[in-house]
């Protein structure tokens, strides 16, 4: 999210891996009723393949790639502010304009494309994160820990909601499922009307998910300040962090997944797994993934995908809803969960193929360029000059 000559390849590499991983978690959200995101028992099949697909996603991906993405958002936010200040500008004012513009983009994505938007949430949390832009490392870590405790308290509160837990995280009722499926298989207006009336808005998401998201943004700011996210630490230290973090947390996630399966995806068990256990363990897992990925940094296709992460993220939503919603091919709730992951092969191929070609000709991804122009209130040169293209 900075100009190309001063980009930090490690951040691009991590961001590219995160946006690829987020698609794994999002596929059930695109294709299946909302309750099925957390539970195969709600919809999408309960065969061995379907349950295994859920378990692998829960253990390895759910919330973890989103956490990594939020960390990188915090790091990039701090870079933008610091670099604007270093140029004699007002970094805080620029950041606020960027968040305002991102909020508009996110709301358009949320209501007109897909209800699983994270951009509007990031924009709202980004306003709060600005308060910590000058905070020392220890304060960032302390505040992140406090936010995670609040997220844990939120999870415990959700677990006590009774009927709401059953509706959103359990098997739901046939009538509710039929209404949602009909809305998603209907036309675009039907989709928008459903999201407007039935889905949580950005401010509700902020109250529910804001504390955990802020924690990851603060950890990202700390990771930038300490050199952890820029690849400045010794390779041996990254290897140690990856081994300790992943070998400690992933087996626990696996045990929780097994317990959830044994309990036949009881709604309260599902909530405890995703909203109570996960916030405690996820930060270590995210740090482990980051350390592992930082051992493989190179200026290749993954880093290029990270430079256009916003464009890739939005393109996935547009392509997926075109396949599953009634305004497109109308495949919503027609695929088994396990079959959905076959889509990763062409999707990842596309996400990795176009960025290098595009960036050789253009200075920014299309969505990134639009965001920059709107936030800065000025036209930014889009196409690279012939000299720039030759240099690449």
């Amino acid at each position: 999210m900075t100009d190309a000559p001063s980009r930090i390849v490690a951040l691009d590499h991590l961001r590219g891996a995160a946006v690829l991983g987020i698609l794994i978690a999002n596929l059930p959200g695109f294709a299946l009723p909302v309750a099925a995101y957390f539970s195969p028992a709600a919809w999408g099949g309960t065969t061995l393949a379907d349950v295994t697909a859920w378990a692998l996603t829960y253990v390895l991906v759910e919330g973890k790639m989103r956490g990594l993405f939020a960390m990188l958002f915090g790091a990039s936010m701090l870079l933008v502010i610091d670099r604007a200040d270093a140029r004699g500008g007002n970094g805080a004012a620029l950041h606020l304009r960027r968040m305002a513009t991102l909020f508009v983009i996110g709301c358009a994505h949320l209501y007109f494309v897909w209800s699983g938007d994270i951009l509007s949430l990031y924009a709202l949390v980004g306003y709060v994160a600005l308060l910590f832009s000058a905070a020392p490392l220890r304060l960032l870590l302390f505040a992140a820990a406090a936010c995670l405790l609040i997220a844990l308290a939120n999870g415990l509160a959700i677990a006590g909601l009774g009927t709401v837990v059953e509706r959103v995280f359990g098997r739901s009722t046939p009538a509710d499922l039929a209404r949602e499926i009909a809305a998603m298989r209907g036309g675009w207006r039907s989709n928008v009307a459903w999201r407007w009336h039935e889905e949580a808005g950005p401010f509700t998401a902020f109250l529910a998910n804001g504390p955990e998201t802020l924690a990851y943004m603060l950890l990202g700011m700390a990771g930038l300040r300490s050199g952890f996210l820029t690849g400045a630490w010794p390779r041996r230290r990254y290897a140690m962090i990856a081994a300790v973090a992943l070998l400690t947390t992933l087996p626990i996630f696996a045990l929780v997944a097994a317990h959830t399966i044994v309990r036949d995806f009881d709604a309260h068990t599902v909530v405890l797994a995703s909203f109570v256990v996960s916030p405690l363990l996820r930060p270590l897992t995210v740090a482990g993934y980051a350390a592992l990925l930082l051992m493989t940094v190179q200026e290749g296709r993954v880093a290029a995908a990270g430079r256009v992460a916003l464009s890739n993220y939005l393109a996935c939503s547009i392509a997926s809803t075109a396949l599953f919603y009634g305004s497109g091919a109308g495949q919503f709730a027609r695929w088994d969960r396990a079959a959905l992951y076959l889509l990763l092969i062409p999707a990842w191929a596309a996400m990795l193929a176009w960025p290098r070609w595009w960036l050789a000709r253009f200075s920014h991804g299309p969505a990134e360029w639009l965001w920059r122009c709107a936030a800065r209130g000025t036209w930014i040169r889009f196409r690279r000059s012939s000299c720039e293209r030759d240099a690449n």
Side-chain angles (χ1 to χ4, degrees):
M1 298 183 184
T2 57
D3 293 336
S6 55
R7 297 197 72 93
I8 299 174
V9 177
L11 294 181
D12 288 333
H13 183 78
L14 289 171
R15 194 181 296 110
V19 78
L20 292 171
I22 283 173
L23 181 59
I24 302 174
N26 283 352
L27 278 173
F30 289 127
L32 303 174
V34 63
Y37 181 89
F38 295 99
S39 170
W43 197 275
T46 54
T47 66
L48 178 61
D50 296 319
V51 173
T52 300
W54 169 84
L56 289 173
T57 304
Y58 172 76
V59 173
L60 299 174
V61 179
E62 183 190 310
K64 300 158 184 78
M65 294 298 104
R66 177 167 44 85
L68 180 58
F69 205 59
M71 279 182 63
L72 296 164
F73 189 93
S76 295
M77 167 198 137
L78 197 57
L79 273 177
V80 168
I81 293 171
D82 289 348
R83 288 175 173 175
D85 287 342
R87 292 193 300 267
N90 188 329
L94 174 60
H95 171 71
L96 292 175
R97 292 196 301 271
R98 283 166 57 84
M99 294 303 99
T101 307
L102 185 63
F103 183 74
V104 172
I105 295 171
C107 285
H109 178 235
L110 169 66
Y111 291 114
F112 298 145
V113 182
W114 182 53
S115 60
D117 171 72
I118 59 173
L119 302 177
S120 56
L121 170 64
Y122 281 18
L124 291 174
V125 177
Y127 280 109
V128 181
L130 177 62
L131 299 173
F132 296 89
S133 60
L137 186 61
R138 287 185 179 180
L139 178 56
L140 289 171
L141 296 175
F142 177 82
C147 288
L148 290 170
L149 289 177
I150 296 173
L152 175 61
N154 278 349
L156 291 170
I158 291 171
L161 289 178
T163 303
V164 175
V165 169
E166 289 292 340
R167 182 174 178 270
V168 178
F169 304 104
R171 286 166 171 77
S172 197
T173 66
D176 284 341
L177 288 169
R179 286 176 57 245
E180 183 178 358
I181 291 169
M184 295 302 102
R185 289 181 184 172
W188 181 73
R189 289 185 179 180
S190 171
N191 302 161
V192 173
W194 174 269
R195 286 190 288 275
W196 183 262
H197 292 290
E198 301 292 336
E199 299 288 357
F203 295 101
T204 301
F206 175 77
L207 293 175
N209 302 315
E212 186 177 8
T213 304
L214 178 58
Y216 287 116
M217 288 189 188
L218 297 177
L219 290 173
M221 294 160 73
L224 181 73
R225 286 248 168 89
S226 67
F228 172 70
L229 287 178
T230 62
W233 290 13
R235 182 180 178 86
R236 183 176 179 181
R237 189 182 300 179
Y238 286 121
M240 183 180 301
I241 292 170
V244 171
L246 298 179
L247 292 178
T248 299
T249 60
L250 293 183
I252 299 175
F253 277 117
L255 289 173
V256 173
H259 176 69
T260 306
I261 294 168
V262 168
R263 292 294 301 270
D264 195 26
F265 295 95
D266 167 77
H268 284 83
T269 305
V270 169
V271 170
L272 290 173
S274 293
F275 293 92
V276 178
V277 175
S278 291
L280 290 174
L281 297 178
R282 264 199 298 252
L284 283 176
T285 311
V286 171
Y289 278 150
L292 189 64
L293 289 165
L294 285 164
M295 296 169 62
T296 66
V297 171
Q298 57 179 319
E299 199 166 357
R301 292 191 180 276
V302 175
R307 289 182 60 182
V308 295
L310 178 60
S311 297
N312 259 332
Y313 173 74
L314 294 173
C316 284
S317 293
I318 293 169
S320 297
T321 53
L323 172 61
F324 292 111
Y325 288 2
S327 52
Q331 293 296 302
F332 188 81
R334 299 187 192 276
W335 291 43
D336 293 336
R337 180 181 296 266
L340 292 174
Y341 294 101
L342 297 174
L343 294 171
L344 287 175
I345 299 172
W348 279 353
M351 293 171 75
L352 291 170
W354 76 272
R356 291 184 73 177
W357 178 90
W358 180 274
L359 291 169
R361 293 158 178 80
F362 301 95
S363 54
H364 311 288
E368 285 78 5
W369 175 79
L370 177 64
W371 184 18
R372 284 168 179 265
C373 289
R376 296 174 186 270
T378 186
W379 185 271
I380 296 174
R381 186 165 59 88
F382 193 25
R383 181 177 287 276
R384 291 185 181 276
S385 67
S386 57
C387 293
E388 289 175 317
R389 290 198 297 272
D390 290 343
N392 283 285

